[in-house]
Amino acid sequence: MTEFERELVLSFNAFFEDTDVRGIAHRLKQHRFTPQFLDVLVDSLNPDYYLGIECKSISVEKGANALYFTQHFTVDKKGAHQIDRISDFLRRSGRTGYLAVELRMGAGKSRKAHIIPWDELRERYHDETSLKYTVEEIQTYPEMERKKGHYLIEPAKWRGGIRILE
């Protein structure tokens, strides 16, 4: 589990405790030859918190300028792309899906995370006119703000891809 995934799970669980919302976030144990559907699963009877989140992290400080569908996502032995596999899991489970992208800005600078609705990601992947999300595009999506070491959990702001366009 990456640090970003761990922080996201801890943030969701702290949110549930603080707000008395019944729910739990977890990460399924990953086995060497068993595919993992998503990085973070959030279970709750409240449909706003019945989620699946895939996490990606890119190093802006090392020159990464985009999140690529070919480089940052996998293709399995049967030729199925990770975006299609996750989309199928979300559809079958009834979960709302998101892609959480952590932008690592370099030593001494705070990391930032943005959240992209999975439906938008899937449509863009299948549109095939763009093979990536640039860092600038990622930053137009809602930022997952941090407070006291945790990400603020606000799915109402994430839904519908409320974007900050300048």
Coordinates of all heavy atoms in Angstrom, one line a residue, residues 87-163:
S87 N -14.0 -0.2 -14.4 CA -15.3 0.3 -14.8 C -16.3 -0.8 -14.7 O -17.5 -0.6 -14.2 CB -15.3 0.8 -16.3 OG -14.5 1.9 -16.4
D88 N -15.9 -2.0 -15.1 CA -16.8 -3.2 -14.9 C -17.1 -3.5 -13.5 O -18.2 -3.8 -13.1 CB -16.2 -4.4 -15.6 CG -17.1 -5.6 -15.6 OD1 -18.2 -5.5 -16.1 OD2 -16.7 -6.7 -15.1
F89 N -16.1 -3.5 -12.6 CA -16.2 -3.7 -11.2 C -17.2 -2.7 -10.6 O -18.1 -3.0 -9.8 CB -14.9 -3.7 -10.5 CG -15.0 -3.8 -9.0 CD1 -15.2 -5.0 -8.4 CD2 -15.0 -2.7 -8.2 CE1 -15.4 -5.2 -7.0 CE2 -15.1 -2.8 -6.8 CZ -15.3 -4.0 -6.2
L90 N -17.0 -1.4 -10.9 CA -17.9 -0.4 -10.4 C -19.3 -0.6 -10.8 O -20.3 -0.5 -10.0 CB -17.4 1.0 -10.8 CG -16.0 1.5 -10.2 CD1 -15.5 2.7 -10.9 CD2 -16.2 1.7 -8.7
R91 N -19.5 -0.9 -12.1 CA -20.9 -1.1 -12.6 C -21.5 -2.3 -11.9 O -22.7 -2.2 -11.5 CB -20.8 -1.4 -14.1 CG -22.2 -1.7 -14.8 CD -22.0 -2.1 -16.2 NE -21.2 -3.3 -16.4 CZ -21.7 -4.5 -16.2 NH1 -22.9 -4.7 -15.7 NH2 -20.9 -5.6 -16.4
R92 N -20.8 -3.4 -11.7 CA -21.3 -4.6 -11.1 C -21.6 -4.5 -9.6 O -22.5 -5.0 -9.1 CB -20.4 -5.8 -11.4 CG -20.3 -6.1 -12.9 CD -19.3 -7.1 -13.2 NE -19.8 -8.5 -13.0 CZ -19.1 -9.5 -12.9 NH1 -17.8 -9.4 -12.9 NH2 -19.6 -10.7 -12.7
S93 N -20.7 -3.7 -9.0 CA -20.9 -3.5 -7.5 C -21.9 -2.4 -7.1 O -22.3 -2.3 -6.0 CB -19.5 -3.2 -6.9 OG -19.1 -1.9 -7.2
G94 N -22.1 -1.5 -8.1 CA -23.0 -0.3 -7.8 C -22.3 0.8 -7.1 O -22.9 1.8 -6.6
R95 N -21.0 0.7 -7.0 CA -20.2 1.8 -6.3 C -20.0 3.0 -7.2 O -20.0 2.9 -8.4 CB -18.8 1.3 -5.9 CG -18.8 0.2 -4.9 CD -17.3 -0.3 -4.7 NE -17.3 -1.5 -3.9 CZ -17.3 -1.5 -2.5 NH1 -17.2 -0.3 -1.9 NH2 -17.3 -2.6 -1.9
T96 N -19.8 4.1 -6.6 CA -19.4 5.3 -7.3 C -17.9 5.3 -7.4 O -17.3 5.1 -6.4 CB -20.0 6.6 -6.6 OG1 -21.4 6.5 -6.6 CG2 -19.5 7.9 -7.4
G97 N -17.3 5.6 -8.5 CA -15.9 5.5 -8.7 C -15.2 6.9 -8.8 O -15.8 7.8 -9.4
Y98 N -14.0 6.9 -8.4 CA -13.2 8.1 -8.5 C -11.7 7.7 -8.8 O -11.3 6.6 -8.4 CB -13.2 9.0 -7.3 CG -14.5 9.6 -7.0 CD1 -15.4 9.0 -6.1 CD2 -14.9 10.8 -7.6 CE1 -16.7 9.6 -5.8 CE2 -16.2 11.3 -7.4 CZ -17.0 10.7 -6.5 OH -18.3 11.3 -6.3
L99 N -11.0 8.6 -9.5 CA -9.6 8.5 -9.6 C -9.0 9.6 -8.7 O -9.3 10.8 -8.9 CB -9.1 8.7 -11.0 CG -7.6 8.7 -11.2 CD1 -7.0 7.4 -10.9 CD2 -7.3 9.2 -12.7
A100 N -8.2 9.2 -7.7 CA -7.5 10.2 -6.9 C -6.1 10.3 -7.4 O -5.4 9.3 -7.5 CB -7.5 9.8 -5.4
V101 N -5.7 11.5 -7.8 CA -4.3 11.7 -8.3 C -3.5 12.6 -7.4 O -3.9 13.8 -7.1 CB -4.4 12.4 -9.7 CG1 -3.0 12.6 -10.3 CG2 -5.3 11.6 -10.7
E102 N -2.4 12.1 -6.9 CA -1.5 12.8 -6.0 C -0.4 13.4 -6.9 O 0.2 12.7 -7.6 CB -0.9 11.9 -5.0 CG 0.1 12.6 -4.1 CD 0.8 11.6 -3.1 OE1 1.3 10.6 -3.6 OE2 0.8 11.8 -1.9
L103 N -0.2 14.7 -6.7 CA 0.8 15.4 -7.4 C 1.9 15.7 -6.4 O 1.8 16.4 -5.5 CB 0.3 16.7 -8.0 CG -0.9 16.6 -9.0 CD1 -1.4 18.0 -9.4 CD2 -0.5 15.8 -10.2
R104 N 3.1 15.0 -6.6 CA 4.2 15.2 -5.7 C 5.0 16.3 -6.3 O 5.6 16.2 -7.4 CB 5.0 13.9 -5.5 CG 4.2 12.8 -4.8 CD 5.1 11.6 -4.5 NE 5.9 11.1 -5.6 CZ 5.6 10.3 -6.6 NH1 4.4 9.8 -6.6 NH2 6.4 9.9 -7.5
M105 N 5.1 17.4 -5.5 CA 5.7 18.7 -6.0 C 7.2 18.8 -5.7 O 7.9 19.7 -6.1 CB 5.0 19.9 -5.4 CG 3.5 19.8 -5.7 SD 3.2 19.7 -7.4 CE 1.9 20.9 -7.6
G106 N 7.8 17.9 -4.9 CA 9.2 18.0 -4.5 C 9.5 18.2 -3.1 O 8.6 18.5 -2.3
A107 N 10.7 18.0 -2.7 CA 11.2 18.1 -1.3 C 10.8 19.5 -0.8 O 11.0 20.5 -1.4 CB 12.7 17.9 -1.2
G108 N 10.2 19.5 0.4 CA 9.9 20.8 1.1 C 8.6 21.4 0.6 O 8.1 22.4 1.1
K109 N 8.0 20.8 -0.4 CA 6.7 21.3 -0.9 C 5.6 20.3 -0.6 O 5.8 19.1 -0.7 CB 6.8 21.6 -2.4 CG 7.8 22.6 -2.8 CD 7.8 22.8 -4.3 CE 8.9 23.8 -4.6 NZ 9.1 23.9 -6.1
S110 N 4.4 20.8 -0.3 CA 3.3 19.9 0.1 C 2.8 19.2 -1.2 O 2.8 19.8 -2.2 CB 2.2 20.6 0.8 OG 1.7 21.6 0.0
R111 N 2.4 18.0 -1.0 CA 1.7 17.2 -2.1 C 0.3 17.7 -2.2 O -0.3 18.2 -1.2 CB 1.7 15.7 -1.7 CG 3.1 15.2 -1.7 CD 3.1 13.8 -1.1 NE 2.8 14.0 0.3 CZ 2.5 13.0 1.2 NH1 2.5 11.8 0.7 NH2 2.2 13.3 2.4
K112 N -0.2 17.6 -3.4 CA -1.6 17.9 -3.6 C -2.3 16.7 -4.2 O -1.7 16.0 -5.0 CB -1.7 19.1 -4.5 CG -1.2 20.4 -4.0 CD -1.4 21.6 -4.9 CE -0.9 22.8 -4.2 NZ -1.5 24.0 -4.7
A113 N -3.6 16.6 -3.9 CA -4.4 15.5 -4.5 C -5.7 16.1 -5.1 O -6.3 17.0 -4.5 CB -4.7 14.4 -3.4
H114 N -6.0 15.6 -6.2 CA -7.2 16.0 -6.9 C -8.1 14.7 -7.2 O -7.5 13.6 -7.4 CB -6.9 16.7 -8.2 CG -6.2 18.0 -8.0 ND1 -6.9 19.2 -7.8 CD2 -4.9 18.3 -7.8 CE1 -6.0 20.2 -7.6 NE2 -4.8 19.7 -7.5
I115 N -9.4 14.9 -7.3 CA -10.3 13.8 -7.5 C -11.1 13.9 -8.8 O -11.6 15.0 -9.1 CB -11.2 13.6 -6.3 CG1 -11.9 12.3 -6.2 CG2 -12.1 14.8 -6.1 CD1 -11.2 11.3 -5.4
I116 N -11.0 12.9 -9.6 CA -11.7 12.9 -10.9 C -12.8 11.9 -10.9 O -12.5 10.7 -10.6 CB -10.7 12.6 -12.0 CG1 -9.6 13.6 -12.1 CG2 -11.4 12.5 -13.4 CD1 -8.4 13.3 -13.0
P117 N -14.0 12.2 -11.2 CA -15.1 11.2 -11.3 C -14.8 10.1 -12.3 O -14.3 10.4 -13.4 CB -16.3 12.0 -11.7 CG -16.0 13.4 -11.3 CD -14.6 13.6 -11.5
W118 N -15.0 8.9 -11.9 CA -14.6 7.8 -12.8 C -15.3 7.8 -14.1 O -14.7 7.5 -15.2 CB -14.8 6.4 -12.1 CG -14.2 5.4 -12.8 CD1 -14.7 4.5 -13.8 CD2 -12.8 5.0 -12.8 NE1 -13.7 3.7 -14.3 CE2 -12.5 4.0 -13.7 CE3 -11.7 5.5 -12.0 CZ2 -11.3 3.4 -13.9 CZ3 -10.4 5.0 -12.2 CH2 -10.2 3.9 -13.1
D119 N -16.6 8.2 -14.1 CA -17.3 8.2 -15.4 C -16.6 9.2 -16.4 O -16.6 8.9 -17.6 CB -18.7 8.7 -15.2 CG -19.6 7.6 -14.5 OD1 -19.1 6.4 -14.5 OD2 -20.6 7.9 -13.9
E120 N -16.1 10.3 -15.9 CA -15.4 11.2 -16.9 C -14.1 10.6 -17.4 O -13.8 10.7 -18.5 CB -15.1 12.5 -16.1 CG -16.3 13.4 -16.0 CD -15.9 14.8 -15.5 OE1 -14.8 15.3 -15.9 OE2 -16.7 15.4 -14.7
L121 N -13.4 9.9 -16.5 CA -12.2 9.3 -16.9 C -12.4 8.2 -17.9 O -11.8 8.1 -19.0 CB -11.5 8.6 -15.7 CG -10.3 7.8 -15.9 CD1 -9.0 8.7 -16.0 CD2 -10.1 6.7 -14.9
R122 N -13.5 7.4 -17.7 CA -13.8 6.3 -18.6 C -14.2 6.9 -20.0 O -13.7 6.4 -21.0 CB -14.9 5.5 -18.1 CG -15.3 4.2 -18.9 CD -16.5 3.5 -18.5 NE -17.7 4.3 -18.8 CZ -18.5 4.8 -17.9 NH1 -18.3 4.6 -16.6 NH2 -19.5 5.6 -18.2
E123 N -15.0 7.9 -20.0 CA -15.4 8.5 -21.3 C -14.2 9.1 -22.0 O -14.1 8.9 -23.2 CB -16.4 9.6 -21.0 CG -17.8 9.1 -20.6 CD -18.8 10.3 -20.3 OE1 -18.6 11.4 -20.7 OE2 -19.7 10.0 -19.5
R124 N -13.3 9.7 -21.3 CA -12.2 10.3 -21.9 C -11.3 9.2 -22.5 O -10.7 9.4 -23.6 CB -11.4 11.2 -20.9 CG -10.2 11.8 -21.6 CD -9.7 12.9 -20.7 NE -8.6 13.6 -21.4 CZ -8.4 14.9 -21.1 NH1 -9.1 15.5 -20.2 NH2 -7.4 15.5 -21.7
Y125 N -11.1 8.1 -21.8 CA -10.3 7.0 -22.3 C -10.8 6.4 -23.5 O -10.1 6.2 -24.5 CB -10.2 5.9 -21.2 CG -9.6 4.7 -21.7 CD1 -8.2 4.6 -22.0 CD2 -10.3 3.5 -21.8 CE1 -7.6 3.4 -22.5 CE2 -9.8 2.3 -22.3 CZ -8.4 2.3 -22.6 OH -7.9 1.1 -23.1
H126 N -12.2 6.3 -23.6 CA -12.8 5.7 -24.8 C -13.0 6.7 -25.9 O -13.2 6.2 -27.1 CB -14.1 5.0 -24.4 CG -13.9 3.7 -23.7 ND1 -13.5 2.6 -24.3 CD2 -14.0 3.4 -22.4 CE1 -13.3 1.6 -23.5 NE2 -13.7 2.1 -22.3
D127 N -12.9 7.9 -25.6 CA -13.0 9.0 -26.7 C -11.8 8.9 -27.6 O -11.9 9.1 -28.8 CB -13.1 10.4 -26.0 CG -13.2 11.5 -27.0 OD1 -13.7 11.2 -28.1 OD2 -12.9 12.6 -26.7
E128 N -10.6 8.5 -27.1 CA -9.4 8.3 -27.8 C -8.8 9.5 -28.5 O -7.9 9.4 -29.3 CB -9.6 7.2 -28.8 CG -9.9 5.8 -28.2 CD -10.0 4.7 -29.2 OE1 -9.8 4.9 -30.4 OE2 -10.4 3.6 -28.8
T129 N -9.4 10.7 -28.2 CA -8.8 11.9 -28.8 C -7.7 12.4 -27.9 O -6.9 13.2 -28.3 CB -9.9 13.0 -29.0 OG1 -10.5 13.3 -27.7 CG2 -10.9 12.6 -30.0
S130 N -7.7 12.0 -26.6 CA -6.7 12.4 -25.7 C -6.2 11.1 -24.9 O -7.0 10.4 -24.4 CB -7.2 13.4 -24.7 OG -6.1 13.8 -23.8
L131 N -4.9 10.9 -24.9 CA -4.4 9.7 -24.2 C -3.9 10.0 -22.8 O -3.1 9.2 -22.2 CB -3.2 9.2 -25.1 CG -3.6 8.8 -26.5 CD1 -2.4 8.4 -27.3 CD2 -4.7 7.8 -26.6
K132 N -4.2 11.2 -22.3 CA -3.7 11.6 -21.0 C -4.5 12.7 -20.4 O -5.4 13.3 -21.0 CB -2.2 12.1 -21.2 CG -2.2 13.4 -22.1 CD -0.8 13.9 -22.4 CE -0.9 15.1 -23.3 NZ 0.3 15.5 -23.8
Y133 N -4.2 13.0 -19.1 CA -4.6 14.2 -18.4 C -3.3 14.9 -18.1 O -2.5 14.4 -17.4 CB -5.3 13.8 -17.1 CG -6.8 13.5 -17.2 CD1 -7.2 12.2 -17.2 CD2 -7.7 14.5 -17.2 CE1 -8.5 11.9 -17.2 CE2 -9.1 14.2 -17.3 CZ -9.5 12.9 -17.3 OH -10.8 12.6 -17.4
T134 N -3.2 16.2 -18.5 CA -2.1 17.0 -18.2 C -2.2 17.4 -16.7 O -3.3 17.4 -16.1 CB -2.0 18.2 -19.0 OG1 -3.1 19.1 -18.7 CG2 -1.9 17.9 -20.5
V135 N -1.1 17.8 -16.1 CA -1.1 18.2 -14.7 C -2.0 19.4 -14.6 O -2.8 19.5 -13.6 CB 0.3 18.6 -14.2 CG1 0.3 19.3 -12.9 CG2 1.2 17.3 -14.1
E136 N -2.0 20.3 -15.6 CA -2.9 21.5 -15.5 C -4.4 21.1 -15.6 O -5.2 21.6 -14.9 CB -2.6 22.4 -16.7 CG -1.2 23.1 -16.6 CD -0.1 22.2 -17.0 OE1 -0.2 21.2 -17.7 OE2 1.1 22.5 -16.6
E137 N -4.7 20.0 -16.4 CA -6.1 19.6 -16.4 C -6.5 18.9 -15.1 O -7.6 19.1 -14.6 CB -6.3 18.5 -17.5 CG -6.2 19.1 -18.9 CD -6.2 18.1 -20.0 OE1 -5.5 17.1 -19.9 OE2 -7.1 18.2 -20.9
I138 N -5.6 18.1 -14.5 CA -5.8 17.5 -13.2 C -6.1 18.5 -12.2 O -7.0 18.4 -11.3 CB -4.6 16.6 -12.8 CG1 -4.5 15.4 -13.7 CG2 -4.8 16.1 -11.3 CD1 -3.2 14.6 -13.6
Q139 N -5.4 19.6 -12.2 CA -5.6 20.7 -11.2 C -6.9 21.4 -11.3 O -7.3 22.2 -10.5 CB -4.4 21.6 -11.2 CG -3.1 21.0 -10.7 CD -1.9 21.9 -10.9 OE1 -1.8 22.7 -11.8 NE2 -1.0 21.8 -10.0
T140 N -7.6 21.2 -12.4 CA -8.9 21.8 -12.6 C -10.0 21.1 -11.8 O -11.1 21.6 -11.6 CB -9.4 22.0 -14.1 OG1 -9.6 20.7 -14.6 CG2 -8.4 22.8 -14.8
Y141 N -9.7 19.8 -11.4 CA -10.7 19.0 -10.6 C -10.6 19.4 -9.2 O -9.6 19.9 -8.7 CB -10.4 17.5 -10.9 CG -10.9 17.1 -12.2 CD1 -10.0 17.2 -13.3 CD2 -12.2 16.7 -12.4 CE1 -10.5 16.8 -14.6 CE2 -12.6 16.3 -13.7 CZ -11.8 16.4 -14.8 OH -12.2 16.0 -16.0
P142 N -11.6 19.1 -8.4 CA -11.6 19.4 -7.0 C -10.4 18.9 -6.2 O -10.0 17.7 -6.4 CB -12.9 18.8 -6.4 CG -13.8 18.6 -7.6 CD -12.8 18.4 -8.8
E143 N -9.8 19.8 -5.5 CA -8.6 19.4 -4.7 C -9.1 18.7 -3.4 O -10.1 19.2 -2.8 CB -7.7 20.6 -4.3 CG -6.5 20.2 -3.6 CD -5.6 21.4 -3.3 OE1 -5.8 22.4 -3.9 OE2 -4.7 21.2 -2.4
M144 N -8.4 17.6 -3.0 CA -8.7 17.0 -1.7 C -7.9 17.7 -0.7 O -6.7 17.4 -0.6 CB -8.4 15.5 -1.8 CG -9.3 14.8 -2.7 SD -8.8 13.0 -2.9 CE -9.1 12.5 -1.3
E145 N -8.4 18.7 0.0 CA -7.7 19.5 0.9 C -7.2 18.7 2.1 O -7.9 17.7 2.5 CB -8.5 20.7 1.4 CG -8.9 21.6 0.2 CD -9.7 22.8 0.7 OE1 -9.3 23.4 1.6 OE2 -10.7 23.0 0.0
R146 N -6.1 19.1 2.7 CA -5.6 18.4 3.9 C -5.8 19.3 5.1 O -5.6 20.5 5.0 CB -4.1 18.1 3.7 CG -3.9 17.1 2.6 CD -2.4 16.9 2.4 NE -1.7 16.4 3.5 CZ -1.5 15.1 3.8 NH1 -2.0 14.2 3.0 NH2 -0.9 14.7 4.9
K147 N -6.1 18.7 6.2 CA -6.2 19.4 7.5 C -5.8 18.5 8.6 O -6.3 17.4 8.7 CB -7.7 19.9 7.7 CG -7.9 20.8 8.9 CD -9.3 21.2 8.9 CE -9.5 22.2 10.1 NZ -10.9 22.6 10.2
K148 N -4.8 18.9 9.4 CA -4.3 18.1 10.5 C -3.9 16.7 10.1 O -4.2 15.7 10.7 CB -5.3 18.0 11.6 CG -5.7 19.4 12.2 CD -6.7 19.2 13.3 CE -7.1 20.6 13.9 NZ -8.1 20.6 14.9
G149 N -3.2 16.6 8.9 CA -2.7 15.4 8.5 C -3.6 14.4 7.8 O -3.3 13.3 7.4
H150 N -4.9 14.8 7.6 CA -5.9 14.0 6.9 C -6.4 14.8 5.7 O -6.5 16.0 5.7 CB -7.0 13.6 7.8 CG -6.7 12.6 8.9 ND1 -6.3 11.3 8.6 CD2 -6.6 12.8 10.2 CE1 -6.1 10.7 9.8 NE2 -6.2 11.6 10.7
Y151 N -6.9 14.0 4.7 CA -7.6 14.6 3.6 C -9.0 14.9 4.1 O -9.6 14.1 4.8 CB -7.6 13.7 2.4 CG -6.3 13.6 1.7 CD1 -5.5 12.5 1.9 CD2 -5.8 14.6 0.9 CE1 -4.2 12.4 1.2 CE2 -4.6 14.6 0.2 CZ -3.8 13.5 0.4 OH -2.6 13.4 -0.2
L152 N -9.6 16.0 3.6 CA -11.0 16.3 4.0 C -11.8 15.5 3.0 O -11.7 15.5 1.8 CB -11.3 17.8 3.8 CG -10.5 18.7 4.8 CD1 -10.9 20.2 4.5 CD2 -10.8 18.3 6.2
I153 N -12.8 14.8 3.6 CA -13.6 13.9 2.8 C -14.9 14.6 2.5 O -15.7 14.9 3.4 CB -13.9 12.6 3.6 CG1 -12.6 11.9 4.0 CG2 -14.8 11.7 2.8 CD1 -11.7 11.6 2.8
E154 N -15.1 15.0 1.2 CA -16.3 15.8 0.8 C -16.8 15.3 -0.6 O -16.7 16.0 -1.6 CB -15.8 17.2 0.7 CG -15.3 17.8 1.9 CD -14.7 19.2 1.8 OE1 -13.8 19.4 0.9 OE2 -15.3 20.1 2.4
P155 N -17.4 14.1 -0.6 CA -17.9 13.5 -1.9 C -18.9 14.4 -2.6 O -19.0 14.4 -3.8 CB -18.5 12.2 -1.5 CG -17.8 11.8 -0.3 CD -17.5 13.1 0.5
A156 N -19.6 15.2 -1.8 CA -20.6 16.1 -2.5 C -19.9 17.1 -3.4 O -20.4 17.5 -4.4 CB -21.4 16.9 -1.4
K157 N -18.7 17.5 -3.1 CA -17.9 18.4 -3.9 C -17.3 17.7 -5.1 O -17.0 18.2 -6.1 CB -16.8 19.1 -3.1 CG -17.3 20.2 -2.2 CD -16.1 20.9 -1.6 CE -16.6 22.0 -0.7 NZ -15.4 22.7 0.0
W158 N -17.1 16.4 -4.9 CA -16.4 15.6 -6.0 C -17.4 15.2 -7.1 O -17.0 15.1 -8.2 CB -15.8 14.3 -5.4 CG -14.9 14.4 -4.2 CD1 -14.3 15.6 -3.8 CD2 -14.5 13.4 -3.3 NE1 -13.5 15.3 -2.7 CE2 -13.6 14.0 -2.4 CE3 -14.8 12.1 -3.2 CZ2 -13.0 13.3 -1.4 CZ3 -14.2 11.3 -2.2 CH2 -13.3 11.9 -1.3
R159 N -18.6 15.0 -6.7 CA -19.6 14.4 -7.6 C -19.8 15.4 -8.8 O -19.9 16.6 -8.6 CB -20.9 14.2 -6.9 CG -21.7 13.0 -7.3 CD -22.9 12.7 -6.5 NE -23.2 13.6 -5.4 CZ -22.9 13.3 -4.2 NH1 -22.2 12.2 -3.9 NH2 -23.2 14.1 -3.2
G160 N -20.0 14.9 -9.9 CA -20.3 15.8 -11.1 C -19.0 16.5 -11.6 O -19.1 17.2 -12.6
G161 N -17.9 16.2 -11.0 CA -16.7 16.8 -11.6 C -16.7 18.3 -11.5 O -16.3 19.0 -12.5
I162 N -17.1 18.9 -10.4 CA -17.1 20.3 -10.3 C -15.6 20.8 -10.5 O -14.7 20.5 -9.8 CB -17.5 20.8 -8.9 CG1 -18.9 20.3 -8.6 CG2 -17.4 22.3 -8.7 CD1 -19.3 20.3 -7.2
R163 N -15.4 21.5 -11.6 CA -14.1 21.8 -12.0 C -13.8 23.3 -11.8 O -14.7 24.1 -12.0 CB -13.8 21.4 -13.4 CG -13.9 19.9 -13.6 CD -13.8 19.5 -15.0 NE -12.5 19.8 -15.5 CZ -12.2 19.6 -16.8 NH1 -13.0 19.1 -17.6 NH2 -11.0 19.9 -17.2

